[in-house]
Amino acid sequence: MSKEKSAVPEAEKNKNVNIELTVDFTKIAAIAASAGVAIVGIVFGFKTYKKYLEWKRD
């Protein structure tokens, strides 16, 4: 009664990886919209501030 050694160890045979990925598009859209509003606000604010400084200088 001798045990045969297989070419692939038992631990190697049972290596499986399961990955589950969930993506919440509504959350991504909300964050993107908030970022867009912030960017537009910053650009508009800087333009307005620049006009204010030019008006103050004149």
Side-chain angles (χ1 to χ4, degrees):
M1 292 191 192
S2 65
K3 286 188 172 180
E4 288 186 23
K5 290 187 176 181
S6 65
V8 179
E10 192 66 30
E12 290 289 325
K13 289 181 184 177
N14 295 329
K15 283 189 176 178
N16 290 329
V17 177
N18 294 326
I19 298 174
E20 184 176 328
L21 179 66
T22 57
V23 179
D24 187 5
F25 288 108
T26 56
K27 194 172 188 178
I28 293 171
I31 291 170
S34 299
V37 168
I39 291 170
V40 169
I42 290 169
V43 169
F44 182 75
F46 278 127
K47 282 185 178 181
T48 305
Y49 187 65
K50 183 180 173 185
K51 286 182 182 179
Y52 169 76
L53 291 178
E54 288 175 359
W55 173 78
K56 189 92 169 169
R57 184 182 55 182
D58 292 338

